[in-house]
């Protein structure tokens, strides 16, 4: 997460390493009250063509968390905390598509092949 309420927690790295080793395509989290899409990352947070695409779908209703300072080296990652949103994730054979749906319309929509 990149919210100030839930900073990075290295205790979950073994879990991410196992997902990476077994070639997970997508992971969805939701505890932080922000919306974010992360480009494919390895277990150490480095962009990787073999990495895991991650979504943080935590802006569903109660409040928004403040965005923490962000590591701009992870290019292509997008996030927002200025609107409530629902993640619409569609899984297809060999691909997936996603969009964050807000009351004002879609933010961050794309389609990708699975690994």
């Amino acid at each position: 997460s990149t919210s100030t309420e839930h900073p990075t927690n290295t205790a979950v790295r073994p879990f991410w390493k196992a997902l990476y080793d077994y070639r997970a395509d997508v992971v969805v989290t939701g505890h932080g009250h922000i919306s974010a899409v992360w480009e494919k990352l390895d277990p150490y947070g480095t962009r990787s063509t073999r990495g895991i695409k991650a979504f943080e779908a935590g802006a569903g209703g109660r409040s928004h968390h403040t965005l923490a300072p962000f590591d701009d080296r992870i290019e292509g990652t997008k996030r927002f905390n200025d609107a409530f949103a629902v993640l619409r994730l569609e899984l297809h054979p060999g691909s997936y598509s996603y969009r964050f749906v807000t009351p004002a319309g879609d933010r961050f929509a794309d389609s990708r092949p699975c690994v």
Side-chain angles (χ1 to χ4, degrees):
S1 174
T2 62
S3 78
T4 55
E5 298 291 320
H6 303 288
T8 299
N9 183 344
T10 58
V12 298
R13 186 168 289 144
F15 176 70
W16 279 93
K17 174 118 175 56
L19 289 169
Y20 182 80
D21 290 345
Y22 287 94
R23 303 192 61 82
D25 287 313
V26 174
V27 171
V28 179
T29 63
H31 192 59
H33 296 195
I34 66 170
S35 296
V37 55
W38 301 86
E39 285 305 319
K40 293 182 171 195
L41 302 176
D42 69 13
Y44 303 96
T46 303
R47 191 159 180 192
S48 166
T49 57
R50 190 184 142 232
I52 301 167
K53 182 79 166 188
F55 298 91
E56 188 165 3
R62 183 169 169 244
S63 62
H64 293 111
H65 290 163
T66 303
L67 296 175
F70 186 62
D71 183 349
D72 290 330
R73 293 174 301 163
I74 306 171
E75 63 182 84
T77 299
K78 303 173 193 124
R79 63 192 183 143
F80 65 93
N81 69 342
D82 61 352
F84 293 110
V86 174
L87 172 64
R88 180 177 175 174
L89 180 62
E90 295 181 25
L91 305 177
H92 313 282
S95 68
Y96 60 92
S97 58
Y98 66 90
R99 66 187 64 219
F100 282 96
V101 181
T102 73
D106 292 351
R107 307 250 304 254
F108 311 151
D110 200 358
S111 235
R112 299 287 175 100
C114 293
V115 175

